Amino acid sequence: MKMELYYLRMQRMREKTDKMEENKATRKLRVCVATCNRADYSKLAPIMFGIKANPDEFELEVVVLGSHLIDDYGNTFRMIEQDDFDIGSKLHTIVRGEDEAAMVESVGLALVKLPDVLHRLRPDILVVHGDRFDALALATAAALMNIRILHLEGGEVSGTIDDSIRHAISKLAHYHACCTRTAEQHLIAMCEDHTRILLAGCPSYDKLLAAHHRDDYMDIIRNWLGDNVKEHDYIVALQHPVTTDIKNSIKIYELMLDALISFNKKTLVLFPNIDAGSKEMVRVMRKKGVEQHPNFRAVKHVPFEQFIQLVCHAGAMIGNSSCGVREAGAFGTPVINLGSRQTGRETGENVLHVRDADTQNKIYHALDLQFGKRYPCSKIYGDGNAVPRILKFLQAIDLDEPLQKTFCFPPVKEWDISQDIDHILETQSALAVDLGGTNLRVAIVSMRGKIVKKYTQANPKTYETRIELILKMCTEAVIDAVHLNCRILGVGVSTGGRVNPQEGVILHSTKLIQEWSAVDIRTPISDALHLPVWVDNDGNCATLAEKKFGHGKGVENFVTIITGTGIGGGIIQHNELIHGSTFCAAELGHIMVSLDGPECMCGSRGCIEAYASGMALQKEAKRLHDEELLEVEGMVDLKKAESVSAIHLINAARLGNCKAEAILRTAGMALGVGIVNILHMVNPSLVILSGVLAAHYQAPVQQVIGQRALTSAQSIQVLTSNLEEPALLGAASMVLDYTTRRIY
């Protein structure tokens, strides 16, 4: 009887557990998205569309408050309705006055009205964006009502009171979706639990990267600025008050308008936000007659999709809006950032800061420097895949876990500690391109130097087909990277010849790569992929590979010698790669070791490359073969001169061919003498031999150093590289080091 009761009790417990699991599986997550103004809606709208597109997983509630409901700021709640979202509540929370007291009163009014709305909606989670005072009221109300909060764009630094508000919201929030690695590290340093931080990217990038290539962009530009305006020949101006320095921000606004009037270009001026000081800024604008000026169009609001087109095709953007340092970078649009409002943010190279904007002339000069330029597209703030990550993050939230936040006090998680949850941290990766004389190779390379996937094609002979193939292979790799859970941070290109890495231009190519001189390789790749691009010589790339992944890791001064078809290399001095004044430093293969030696491909004589390169050894091997002096007993019969290579010469020497031995002895001596010259010039602590001939040359080179180097240099060690793909790894290291640690 007792056993029957036990089994009956166990069966009921199993049924109860199964029912609870079934309810949990079928229950939708109720998500409330609260939007306060036109700016935060551009970030929240893509998430709202994503939630709406998944009705089996989520229920969406929309709350609108703040400046959305004010006529002077465009009644922008209408665009939410036009996007076909049902607004559950409209809260009039703004106390007019546009001064510090009005901001405080607006927060208080919102806190009075929000409890009833949140009690009625009963969301599982509230999504709050950014750093506005309205958002602080939302987060405060939700936290006190035990509602989970997901905060977007926490951890960033902009240099004003917004920082304090943003960080306060982060402390109230239970979950975080941030845009950059630096922002993630700031949140961790603020003792937030790293398992509740998602490195997502900015949601607005999902929309702008997908939509900015529109055929009707000129129609949009003309609609806002008139029929006579041309692409890249107008300015977008957007300046907001700085609430901690209102007087100075109004002065900067006045100087900006004076500079724009003098600059005499068509200009779209957007009204400032509703922060304290905005009313005075509007008065300045009207006093200057901007609304009646023929070169100006002053507007309260532009729909985000159209605003994207206007920023993308502008000659410049000026002001202190976060759009200038965030979204504009995705298009390479030149930006002049005025004052202190955005000085703490991460920016691309398209941003020129005028922090002390105290004269009209200084602002005019900045316009003159920036207007009409185009910069490489930057993806610092996102890659267009933020919304899928955020939706996956929301789905993973366990509503049964304790609501009370726990803080993770030091020690802080290091930057490279990976997570067990795949949607929190993807593999940070680079796209590496290696242009060789024979093959064109592209690879996805992880942060730890693992080649995740490699693509190889024959290198075309003409410029047009080569560029077309590079873009095709890179595009394919970027698509594959998504499925491989790799986040591509940028593109690194390794190529033969002399390269200007600052401009991304191949100045002069080797004879092995045709039609490859005076080529801007950075721009077409950056424009096609919307990724930052780095370019360098293959010898320098191999050296960077050793510095990050090989024997050079942690070594302050070393030299890499590449022994392959030619002879090349790179020099690391005080942890920096040496390029030289005309980018021909470390052309190590063209160090002369004899005044009357064999002719080199560079046109000179007696270069190391003329003695020790694969081509030089192949030339000698063919000569011996033609004279029937190459083959010895034990070698494979060679019938065609075209099949003879340097390897056959090395094999012949190993089998006792004295002629082959003499040639290799001379080659090793030439390379060794050249390296002794390098030791006496730059005094590295390590020499690394890389390439297919490296193992053969190590012993002869070490011997020559012992015989001919100064006593102080004879102890310098010579190692052979253990990297299988130094060119690809070096190209990747340019991306990985710069985008994650900003040291290259």
Side-chain angles (χ1 to χ4, degrees):
M1 185 67 178
K2 289 183 179 179
M3 289 295 294
E4 290 178 0
L5 288 173
Y6 170 78
Y7 282 118
L8 182 62
R9 192 180 307 115
M10 291 296 294
Q11 183 178 356
R12 287 175 179 171
M13 287 178 65
R14 279 196 297 269
E15 289 174 354
K16 184 177 180 181
T17 302
D18 291 343
K19 189 173 182 180
M20 288 175 64
E21 290 294 328
E22 183 181 349
N23 290 337
K24 185 176 179 180
T26 57
R27 185 174 182 270
K28 299 177 184 179
L29 186 73
R30 180 170 291 184
V31 182
C32 178
V33 178
T35 173
C36 312
N37 53 64
R38 66 190 181 196
D40 77 11
Y41 181 66
S42 69
K43 316 294 177 67
L44 293 167
I47 300 172
M48 293 162 66
F49 280 113
I51 292 172
K52 190 176 180 180
N54 290 273
D56 294 336
E57 300 285 343
F58 305 105
E59 288 183 19
L60 175 64
E61 297 287 349
V62 180
V63 173
V64 172
L65 64 158
S67 61
H68 272 309
L69 302 169
I70 297 178
D71 181 63
D72 287 351
Y73 293 88
N75 279 327
T76 50
F77 74 90
R78 294 196 182 100
M79 67 181 178
I80 304 172
E81 295 176 335
Q82 289 168 3
D83 285 340
D84 201 26
F85 289 113
D86 295 327
I87 299 176
S89 295
K90 297 177 184 175
L91 298 180
H92 292 270
T93 58
I94 297 298
V95 176
R96 300 306 299 271
E98 285 78 21
D99 57 15
E100 296 94 329
M103 291 168 64
V104 177
E105 291 169 357
S106 296
V107 172
L109 182 58
L111 286 171
V112 169
K113 293 186 174 184
L114 278 168
D116 287 341
V117 173
L118 295 176
H119 182 74
R120 173 171 55 83
L121 298 178
R122 295 186 181 279
D124 295 316
I125 190 161
L126 175 71
V127 180
V128 178
H129 169 270
D131 49 30
R132 308 293 302 142
F133 58 84
D134 324 71
L136 179 61
L138 283 162
T140 302
L144 292 172
M145 294 182 70
N146 291 324
I147 296 170
R148 288 173 168 82
I149 301 164
L150 170 63
H151 183 210
L152 303 181
E153 298 187 8
E156 295 184 17
V157 177
S158 57
T160 65
I161 188 64
D162 295 347
D163 285 346
S164 300
I165 296 175
R166 186 187 308 110
H167 300 333
I169 297 172
S170 292
K171 300 316 293 179
L172 292 167
H174 303 80
Y175 307 95
H176 311 272
C178 58
C179 297
T180 70
R181 172 68 65 183
T182 300
E184 180 194 36
Q185 291 303 296
H186 288 164
L187 288 169
I188 293 169
M190 291 162 60
C191 304
E192 294 298 309
D193 184 351
H194 69 262
T195 65
R196 293 188 172 196
I197 302 171
L198 169 67
L199 178 55
C202 182
S204 66
Y205 269 55
D206 291 28
K207 201 167 187 178
L208 66 88
L209 289 178
H212 86 273
H213 285 299
R214 281 177 52 167
D215 295 334
D216 63 343
Y217 70 90
M218 282 307 303
D219 294 335
I220 294 170
I221 293 169
R222 292 187 184 111
N223 180 56
W224 290 98
L225 287 162
D227 294 335
N228 296 325
V229 73
K230 297 178 181 178
E231 183 181 9
H232 300 159
D233 197 37
Y234 63 89
I235 298 168
V236 175
L238 179 53
Q239 179 88 0
H240 299 304
V242 176
T243 55
T244 51
D245 193 3
I246 295 173
K247 185 177 179 181
N248 187 51
S249 64
I250 294 169
K251 177 188 174 184
I252 292 175
Y253 189 65
E254 185 172 4
L255 293 172
M256 180 190 76
L257 293 177
D258 288 338
L260 287 169
I261 291 168
S262 300
F263 201 69
N264 198 31
K265 290 289 182 182
K266 286 284 187 181
T267 303
L268 181 73
V269 180
L270 279 85
F271 276 57
N273 63 22
I274 202 168
D275 282 350
S278 60
K279 186 182 291 185
E280 288 82 356
M281 292 175 76
V282 173
R283 288 196 189 107
V284 168
M285 182 176 68
R286 287 174 174 157
K287 181 181 177 183
K288 298 282 183 186
V290 166
E291 290 172 299
Q292 290 76 41
H293 196 287
N295 271 352
F296 287 79
R297 173 81 188 278
V299 297
K300 296 176 180 177
H301 169 66
V302 178
F304 184 66
E305 294 83 355
Q306 298 181 39
F307 187 62
I308 290 171
Q309 306 302 318
L310 291 164
V311 172
C312 176
H313 300 284
M317 184 174 184
I318 189 169
N320 64 2
S321 169
S322 62
C323 176
V325 298
R326 296 170 67 97
E327 283 82 356
F331 314 127
T333 301
V335 172
I336 301 102
N337 184 64
L338 303 178
S340 61
R341 190 170 185 262
Q342 304 295 343
T343 54
R345 289 198 191 271
E346 298 169 78
T347 70
E349 59 183 285
N350 63 310
V351 178
L352 175 63
H353 289 285
V354 187
R355 293 178 175 87
D356 189 15
D358 54 353
T359 66
Q360 174 188 334
N361 184 58
K362 192 180 290 186
I363 298 172
Y364 184 96
H365 185 59
L367 281 166
D368 195 40
L369 285 172
Q370 288 284 78
F371 186 78
K373 284 187 177 180
R374 304 314 291 177
Y375 289 91
C377 302
S378 166
K379 282 192 174 182
I380 294 173
Y381 287 95
D383 60 0
N385 296 298
V387 171
R389 295 184 188 111
I390 291 171
L391 295 183
K392 192 175 180 182
F393 189 60
L394 286 169
Q395 290 169 343
I397 291 174
D398 183 3
L399 297 178
D400 293 327
E401 68 180 1
L403 183 65
Q404 176 60 49
K405 281 186 67 170
T406 56
F407 297 101
C408 301
F409 294 99
V412 177
K413 177 178 80 76
E414 295 292 337
W415 71 269
D416 60 349
I417 296 178
S418 61
Q419 305 296 323
D420 292 328
I421 308 172
D422 62 357
H423 61 265
I424 290 183
L425 184 62
E426 296 165 302
T427 303
Q428 305 294 297
S429 306
L431 210 58
V433 179
D434 176 34
L435 284 139
T438 305
N439 291 323
L440 170 60
R441 302 183 302 157
V442 174
I444 301 168
V445 181
S446 75
M447 184 69 70
R448 298 186 182 277
K450 178 185 176 183
I451 295 180
V452 180
K453 190 168 184 179
K454 185 167 66 175
Y455 313 76
T456 304
Q457 295 279 353
N459 194 347
K461 301 299 182 184
T462 64
Y463 166 79
E464 290 80 6
T465 52
R466 187 176 298 124
I467 287 290
E468 184 179 350
L469 182 58
I470 290 171
L471 297 180
K472 180 182 177 183
M473 292 173 72
C474 287
T475 302
E476 180 184 350
V478 168
I479 294 170
D480 289 347
V482 176
H483 303 294
L484 294 167
N485 204 37
C486 293
R487 169 108 42 115
I488 301 298
L489 302 175
V491 183
V493 179
S494 167
T495 182
R498 189 162 64 95
V499 175
N500 180 343
Q502 297 169 5
E503 301 293 335
V505 173
I506 300 152
L507 302 173
H508 299 293
S509 180
T510 64
K511 292 182 179 180
L512 296 174
I513 309 177
Q514 301 170 11
E515 297 186 21
W516 206 236
S517 295
V519 171
D520 176 4
I521 186 66
R522 171 187 288 169
T523 300
I525 298 176
S526 179
D527 287 349
L529 302 181
H530 302 290
L531 287 169
V533 178
W534 288 264
V535 188
D536 214 329
N537 166 270
D538 51 6
N540 288 336
C541 285
T543 305
L544 290 173
E546 294 294 339
K547 183 176 184 293
K548 185 169 181 65
F549 303 113
H551 294 308
K553 192 171 184 179
V555 181
E556 186 176 1
N557 302 289
F558 71 91
V559 173
T560 300
I561 313 288
I562 303 171
T563 58
T565 306
I567 300 287
I571 300 171
I572 296 290
Q573 193 79 354
H574 302 303
N575 289 316
E576 294 291 336
L577 184 66
I578 304 301
H579 285 100
S581 61
T582 57
F583 311 107
C584 65
E587 285 289 351
L588 307 180
H590 300 290
I591 294 175
M592 293 179 63
V593 292
S594 172
L595 295 177
D596 57 354
E599 187 177 356
C600 181
M601 288 187 70
C602 70
S604 184
R605 284 186 172 275
C607 299
I608 296 176
E609 189 168 291
Y611 285 102
S613 68
M615 287 190 298
L617 297 182
Q618 183 183 39
K619 182 179 178 181
E620 289 297 303
K622 286 184 176 181
R623 180 179 63 79
L624 291 181
H625 182 262
D626 292 342
E627 296 172 2
E628 298 184 354
L629 298 174
L630 179 63
E631 295 182 40
V632 293
E633 187 177 350
M635 284 186 65
V636 178
D637 186 33
L638 295 172
K639 295 181 179 179
K640 293 183 179 179
E642 290 76 12
S643 64
V644 178
S645 69
I647 300 300
H648 295 112
L649 187 74
I650 294 171
N651 289 338
R654 286 174 180 166
L655 293 171
N657 186 320
C658 59
K659 297 282 187 182
E661 287 176 350
I663 292 168
L664 290 176
R665 195 179 308 114
T666 302
M669 175 68 73
L671 182 60
V673 169
I675 290 175
V676 167
N677 291 334
I678 295 169
L679 301 185
H680 293 168
M681 282 188 289
V682 296
N683 192 213
S685 57
L686 175 66
V687 174
I688 302 170
L689 297 180
S690 181
V692 293
L693 300 173
H696 168 75
Y697 281 133
Q698 182 184 17
V701 166
Q702 193 78 68
Q703 184 178 9
V704 173
I705 291 174
Q707 294 171 348
R708 301 208 174 198
L710 294 172
T711 305
S712 57
Q714 288 180 3
S715 61
I716 292 172
Q717 194 175 12
V718 179
L719 299 176
T720 57
S721 174
N722 56 10
L723 300 179
E724 293 184 5
E725 297 285 0
L728 288 171
L729 292 177
S733 75
M734 293 190 289
V735 177
L736 299 173
D737 277 345
Y738 185 86
T739 55
T740 58
R741 291 196 290 278
R742 303 280 176 182
I743 63 170
Y744 175 67

mmCIF file with all atom_site columns, all heavy atoms in Angstrom, residues 449-463:
data_model
loop_
_atom_site.group_PDB
_atom_site.id
_atom_site.type_symbol
_atom_site.label_atom_id
_atom_site.label_alt_id
_atom_site.label_comp_id
_atom_site.label_asym_id
_atom_site.label_entity_id
_atom_site.label_seq_id
_atom_site.pdbx_PDB_ins_code
_atom_site.Cartn_x
_atom_site.Cartn_y
_atom_site.Cartn_z
_atom_site.occupancy
_atom_site.B_iso_or_equiv
_atom_site.pdbx_formal_charge
_atom_site.auth_seq_id
_atom_site.auth_comp_id
_atom_site.auth_asym_id
_atom_site.auth_atom_id
_atom_site.pdbx_PDB_model_num
ATOM 1   N N   . GLY A 1 449 ? 44.356 33.596 -33.916 1.00 0.00 ? 449 GLY A N   1
ATOM 2   C CA  . GLY A 1 449 ? 45.191 33.207 -35.045 1.00 0.00 ? 449 GLY A CA  1
ATOM 3   C C   . GLY A 1 449 ? 44.773 31.925 -35.729 1.00 0.00 ? 449 GLY A C   1
ATOM 4   O O   . GLY A 1 449 ? 45.507 31.394 -36.555 1.00 0.00 ? 449 GLY A O   1
ATOM 5   N N   . LYS A 1 450 ? 43.591 31.438 -35.438 1.00 0.00 ? 450 LYS A N   1
ATOM 6   C CA  . LYS A 1 450 ? 43.093 30.240 -36.105 1.00 0.00 ? 450 LYS A CA  1
ATOM 7   C C   . LYS A 1 450 ? 42.458 30.637 -37.435 1.00 0.00 ? 450 LYS A C   1
ATOM 8   O O   . LYS A 1 450 ? 41.636 31.553 -37.493 1.00 0.00 ? 450 LYS A O   1
ATOM 9   C CB  . LYS A 1 450 ? 42.062 29.528 -35.232 1.00 0.00 ? 450 LYS A CB  1
ATOM 10  C CG  . LYS A 1 450 ? 41.463 28.294 -35.900 1.00 0.00 ? 450 LYS A CG  1
ATOM 11  C CD  . LYS A 1 450 ? 40.348 27.691 -35.048 1.00 0.00 ? 450 LYS A CD  1
ATOM 12  C CE  . LYS A 1 450 ? 39.690 26.516 -35.751 1.00 0.00 ? 450 LYS A CE  1
ATOM 13  N NZ  . LYS A 1 450 ? 38.553 25.974 -34.972 1.00 0.00 ? 450 LYS A NZ  1
ATOM 14  N N   . ILE A 1 451 ? 42.849 29.947 -38.507 1.00 0.00 ? 451 ILE A N   1
ATOM 15  C CA  . ILE A 1 451 ? 42.217 30.187 -39.810 1.00 0.00 ? 451 ILE A CA  1
ATOM 16  C C   . ILE A 1 451 ? 40.940 29.357 -39.854 1.00 0.00 ? 451 ILE A C   1
ATOM 17  O O   . ILE A 1 451 ? 40.972 28.133 -39.988 1.00 0.00 ? 451 ILE A O   1
ATOM 18  C CB  . ILE A 1 451 ? 43.171 29.836 -40.963 1.00 0.00 ? 451 ILE A CB  1
ATOM 19  C CG1 . ILE A 1 451 ? 44.373 30.789 -40.939 1.00 0.00 ? 451 ILE A CG1 1
ATOM 20  C CG2 . ILE A 1 451 ? 42.453 29.912 -42.301 1.00 0.00 ? 451 ILE A CG2 1
ATOM 21  C CD1 . ILE A 1 451 ? 45.390 30.544 -42.018 1.00 0.00 ? 451 ILE A CD1 1
ATOM 22  N N   . VAL A 1 452 ? 39.817 30.051 -39.705 1.00 0.00 ? 452 VAL A N   1
ATOM 23  C CA  . VAL A 1 452 ? 38.520 29.381 -39.624 1.00 0.00 ? 452 VAL A CA  1
ATOM 24  C C   . VAL A 1 452 ? 38.118 28.821 -40.975 1.00 0.00 ? 452 VAL A C   1
ATOM 25  O O   . VAL A 1 452 ? 37.613 27.708 -41.086 1.00 0.00 ? 452 VAL A O   1
ATOM 26  C CB  . VAL A 1 452 ? 37.443 30.363 -39.105 1.00 0.00 ? 452 VAL A CB  1
ATOM 27  C CG1 . VAL A 1 452 ? 36.093 29.672 -39.011 1.00 0.00 ? 452 VAL A CG1 1
ATOM 28  C CG2 . VAL A 1 452 ? 37.856 30.929 -37.749 1.00 0.00 ? 452 VAL A CG2 1
ATOM 29  N N   . LYS A 1 453 ? 38.358 29.599 -42.033 1.00 0.00 ? 453 LYS A N   1
ATOM 30  C CA  . LYS A 1 453 ? 38.036 29.138 -43.387 1.00 0.00 ? 453 LYS A CA  1
ATOM 31  C C   . LYS A 1 453 ? 38.915 29.895 -44.366 1.00 0.00 ? 453 LYS A C   1
ATOM 32  O O   . LYS A 1 453 ? 39.181 31.082 -44.182 1.00 0.00 ? 453 LYS A O   1
ATOM 33  C CB  . LYS A 1 453 ? 36.558 29.365 -43.712 1.00 0.00 ? 453 LYS A CB  1
ATOM 34  C CG  . LYS A 1 453 ? 36.112 28.690 -45.015 1.00 0.00 ? 453 LYS A CG  1
ATOM 35  C CD  . LYS A 1 453 ? 34.597 28.692 -45.169 1.00 0.00 ? 453 LYS A CD  1
ATOM 36  C CE  . LYS A 1 453 ? 34.184 27.934 -46.430 1.00 0.00 ? 453 LYS A CE  1
ATOM 37  N NZ  . LYS A 1 453 ? 32.717 27.909 -46.596 1.00 0.00 ? 453 LYS A NZ  1
ATOM 38  N N   . LYS A 1 454 ? 39.368 29.186 -45.419 1.00 0.00 ? 454 LYS A N   1
ATOM 39  C CA  . LYS A 1 454 ? 40.272 29.793 -46.397 1.00 0.00 ? 454 LYS A CA  1
ATOM 40  C C   . LYS A 1 454 ? 39.728 29.571 -47.799 1.00 0.00 ? 454 LYS A C   1
ATOM 41  O O   . LYS A 1 454 ? 39.162 28.524 -48.099 1.00 0.00 ? 454 LYS A O   1
ATOM 42  C CB  . LYS A 1 454 ? 41.679 29.204 -46.245 1.00 0.00 ? 454 LYS A CB  1
ATOM 43  C CG  . LYS A 1 454 ? 42.730 29.855 -47.132 1.00 0.00 ? 454 LYS A CG  1
ATOM 44  C CD  . LYS A 1 454 ? 44.133 29.461 -46.716 1.00 0.00 ? 454 LYS A CD  1
ATOM 45  C CE  . LYS A 1 454 ? 44.413 28.000 -46.924 1.00 0.00 ? 454 LYS A CE  1
ATOM 46  N NZ  . LYS A 1 454 ? 45.808 27.640 -46.635 1.00 0.00 ? 454 LYS A NZ  1
ATOM 47  N N   . TYR A 1 455 ? 39.925 30.573 -48.648 1.00 0.00 ? 455 TYR A N   1
ATOM 48  C CA  . TYR A 1 455 ? 39.468 30.531 -50.039 1.00 0.00 ? 455 TYR A CA  1
ATOM 49  C C   . TYR A 1 455 ? 40.675 30.833 -50.929 1.00 0.00 ? 455 TYR A C   1
ATOM 50  O O   . TYR A 1 455 ? 41.423 31.777 -50.668 1.00 0.00 ? 455 TYR A O   1
ATOM 51  C CB  . TYR A 1 455 ? 38.384 31.578 -50.298 1.00 0.00 ? 455 TYR A CB  1
ATOM 52  C CG  . TYR A 1 455 ? 37.276 31.613 -49.264 1.00 0.00 ? 455 TYR A CG  1
ATOM 53  C CD1 . TYR A 1 455 ? 37.482 32.197 -48.010 1.00 0.00 ? 455 TYR A CD1 1
ATOM 54  C CD2 . TYR A 1 455 ? 36.034 31.063 -49.523 1.00 0.00 ? 455 TYR A CD2 1
ATOM 55  C CE1 . TYR A 1 455 ? 36.484 32.227 -47.053 1.00 0.00 ? 455 TYR A CE1 1
ATOM 56  C CE2 . TYR A 1 455 ? 35.021 31.090 -48.580 1.00 0.00 ? 455 TYR A CE2 1
ATOM 57  C CZ  . TYR A 1 455 ? 35.253 31.668 -47.349 1.00 0.00 ? 455 TYR A CZ  1
ATOM 58  O OH  . TYR A 1 455 ? 34.257 31.705 -46.414 1.00 0.00 ? 455 TYR A OH  1
ATOM 59  N N   . THR A 1 456 ? 40.849 30.062 -51.999 1.00 0.00 ? 456 THR A N   1
ATOM 60  C CA  . THR A 1 456 ? 41.992 30.254 -52.886 1.00 0.00 ? 456 THR A CA  1
ATOM 61  C C   . THR A 1 456 ? 41.536 30.241 -54.340 1.00 0.00 ? 456 THR A C   1
ATOM 62  O O   . THR A 1 456 ? 40.749 29.372 -54.741 1.00 0.00 ? 456 THR A O   1
ATOM 63  C CB  . THR A 1 456 ? 43.044 29.146 -52.671 1.00 0.00 ? 456 THR A CB  1
ATOM 64  O OG1 . THR A 1 456 ? 43.437 29.123 -51.295 1.00 0.00 ? 456 THR A OG1 1
ATOM 65  C CG2 . THR A 1 456 ? 44.273 29.385 -53.533 1.00 0.00 ? 456 THR A CG2 1
ATOM 66  N N   . GLN A 1 457 ? 42.026 31.227 -55.101 1.00 0.00 ? 457 GLN A N   1
ATOM 67  C CA  . GLN A 1 457 ? 41.769 31.293 -56.541 1.00 0.00 ? 457 GLN A CA  1
ATOM 68  C C   . GLN A 1 457 ? 43.057 31.731 -57.226 1.00 0.00 ? 457 GLN A C   1
ATOM 69  O O   . GLN A 1 457 ? 43.926 32.353 -56.601 1.00 0.00 ? 457 GLN A O   1
ATOM 70  C CB  . GLN A 1 457 ? 40.660 32.308 -56.855 1.00 0.00 ? 457 GLN A CB  1
ATOM 71  C CG  . GLN A 1 457 ? 39.287 31.965 -56.305 1.00 0.00 ? 457 GLN A CG  1
ATOM 72  C CD  . GLN A 1 457 ? 38.545 30.959 -57.171 1.00 0.00 ? 457 GLN A CD  1
ATOM 73  O OE1 . GLN A 1 457 ? 39.007 30.608 -58.246 1.00 0.00 ? 457 GLN A OE1 1
ATOM 74  N NE2 . GLN A 1 457 ? 37.407 30.483 -56.685 1.00 0.00 ? 457 GLN A NE2 1
ATOM 75  N N   . ALA A 1 458 ? 43.178 31.419 -58.519 1.00 0.00 ? 458 ALA A N   1
ATOM 76  C CA  . ALA A 1 458 ? 44.322 31.913 -59.285 1.00 0.00 ? 458 ALA A CA  1
ATOM 77  C C   . ALA A 1 458 ? 44.245 33.430 -59.380 1.00 0.00 ? 458 ALA A C   1
ATOM 78  O O   . ALA A 1 458 ? 43.158 33.998 -59.589 1.00 0.00 ? 458 ALA A O   1
ATOM 79  C CB  . ALA A 1 458 ? 44.317 31.296 -60.680 1.00 0.00 ? 458 ALA A CB  1
ATOM 80  N N   . ASN A 1 459 ? 45.383 34.111 -59.211 1.00 0.00 ? 459 ASN A N   1
ATOM 81  C CA  . ASN A 1 459 ? 45.409 35.573 -59.259 1.00 0.00 ? 459 ASN A CA  1
ATOM 82  C C   . ASN A 1 459 ? 45.276 36.034 -60.708 1.00 0.00 ? 459 ASN A C   1
ATOM 83  O O   . ASN A 1 459 ? 46.135 35.722 -61.541 1.00 0.00 ? 459 ASN A O   1
ATOM 84  C CB  . ASN A 1 459 ? 46.720 36.086 -58.666 1.00 0.00 ? 459 ASN A CB  1
ATOM 85  C CG  . ASN A 1 459 ? 46.682 37.573 -58.375 1.00 0.00 ? 459 ASN A CG  1
ATOM 86  O OD1 . ASN A 1 459 ? 45.781 38.285 -58.820 1.00 0.00 ? 459 ASN A OD1 1
ATOM 87  N ND2 . ASN A 1 459 ? 47.663 38.054 -57.632 1.00 0.00 ? 459 ASN A ND2 1
ATOM 88  N N   . PRO A 1 460 ? 44.210 36.764 -61.048 1.00 0.00 ? 460 PRO A N   1
ATOM 89  C CA  . PRO A 1 460 ? 44.026 37.219 -62.431 1.00 0.00 ? 460 PRO A CA  1
ATOM 90  C C   . PRO A 1 460 ? 45.166 38.129 -62.882 1.00 0.00 ? 460 PRO A C   1
ATOM 91  O O   . PRO A 1 460 ? 45.878 38.726 -62.067 1.00 0.00 ? 460 PRO A O   1
ATOM 92  C CB  . PRO A 1 460 ? 42.696 37.986 -62.383 1.00 0.00 ? 460 PRO A CB  1
ATOM 93  C CG  . PRO A 1 460 ? 41.998 37.450 -61.182 1.00 0.00 ? 460 PRO A CG  1
ATOM 94  C CD  . PRO A 1 460 ? 43.083 37.143 -60.190 1.00 0.00 ? 460 PRO A CD  1
ATOM 95  N N   . LYS A 1 461 ? 45.303 38.279 -64.184 1.00 0.00 ? 461 LYS A N   1
ATOM 96  C CA  . LYS A 1 461 ? 46.408 39.040 -64.757 1.00 0.00 ? 461 LYS A CA  1
ATOM 97  C C   . LYS A 1 461 ? 46.095 40.520 -64.934 1.00 0.00 ? 461 LYS A C   1
ATOM 98  O O   . LYS A 1 461 ? 47.003 41.326 -65.139 1.00 0.00 ? 461 LYS A O   1
ATOM 99  C CB  . LYS A 1 461 ? 46.810 38.441 -66.121 1.00 0.00 ? 461 LYS A CB  1
ATOM 100 C CG  . LYS A 1 461 ? 47.243 36.987 -66.050 1.00 0.00 ? 461 LYS A CG  1
ATOM 101 C CD  . LYS A 1 461 ? 48.467 36.805 -65.158 1.00 0.00 ? 461 LYS A CD  1
ATOM 102 C CE  . LYS A 1 461 ? 48.929 35.355 -65.132 1.00 0.00 ? 461 LYS A CE  1
ATOM 103 N NZ  . LYS A 1 461 ? 50.062 35.157 -64.196 1.00 0.00 ? 461 LYS A NZ  1
ATOM 104 N N   . THR A 1 462 ? 44.813 40.905 -64.898 1.00 0.00 ? 462 THR A N   1
ATOM 105 C CA  . THR A 1 462 ? 44.449 42.305 -65.138 1.00 0.00 ? 462 THR A CA  1
ATOM 106 C C   . THR A 1 462 ? 43.851 42.924 -63.883 1.00 0.00 ? 462 THR A C   1
ATOM 107 O O   . THR A 1 462 ? 43.299 42.224 -63.019 1.00 0.00 ? 462 THR A O   1
ATOM 108 C CB  . THR A 1 462 ? 43.434 42.433 -66.288 1.00 0.00 ? 462 THR A CB  1
ATOM 109 O OG1 . THR A 1 462 ? 42.210 41.779 -65.912 1.00 0.00 ? 462 THR A OG1 1
ATOM 110 C CG2 . THR A 1 462 ? 43.981 41.795 -67.561 1.00 0.00 ? 462 THR A CG2 1
ATOM 111 N N   . TYR A 1 463 ? 43.932 44.241 -63.794 1.00 0.00 ? 463 TYR A N   1
ATOM 112 C CA  . TYR A 1 463 ? 43.443 44.974 -62.628 1.00 0.00 ? 463 TYR A CA  1
ATOM 113 C C   . TYR A 1 463 ? 41.944 44.751 -62.408 1.00 0.00 ? 463 TYR A C   1
ATOM 114 O O   . TYR A 1 463 ? 41.500 44.444 -61.308 1.00 0.00 ? 463 TYR A O   1
ATOM 115 C CB  . TYR A 1 463 ? 43.732 46.468 -62.798 1.00 0.00 ? 463 TYR A CB  1
ATOM 116 C CG  . TYR A 1 463 ? 42.990 47.342 -61.821 1.00 0.00 ? 463 TYR A CG  1
ATOM 117 C CD1 . TYR A 1 463 ? 43.424 47.485 -60.505 1.00 0.00 ? 463 TYR A CD1 1
ATOM 118 C CD2 . TYR A 1 463 ? 41.823 48.012 -62.205 1.00 0.00 ? 463 TYR A CD2 1
ATOM 119 C CE1 . TYR A 1 463 ? 42.742 48.266 -59.605 1.00 0.00 ? 463 TYR A CE1 1
ATOM 120 C CE2 . TYR A 1 463 ? 41.128 48.801 -61.310 1.00 0.00 ? 463 TYR A CE2 1
ATOM 121 C CZ  . TYR A 1 463 ? 41.585 48.925 -60.009 1.00 0.00 ? 463 TYR A CZ  1
ATOM 122 O OH  . TYR A 1 463 ? 40.896 49.702 -59.120 1.00 0.00 ? 463 TYR A OH  1
#
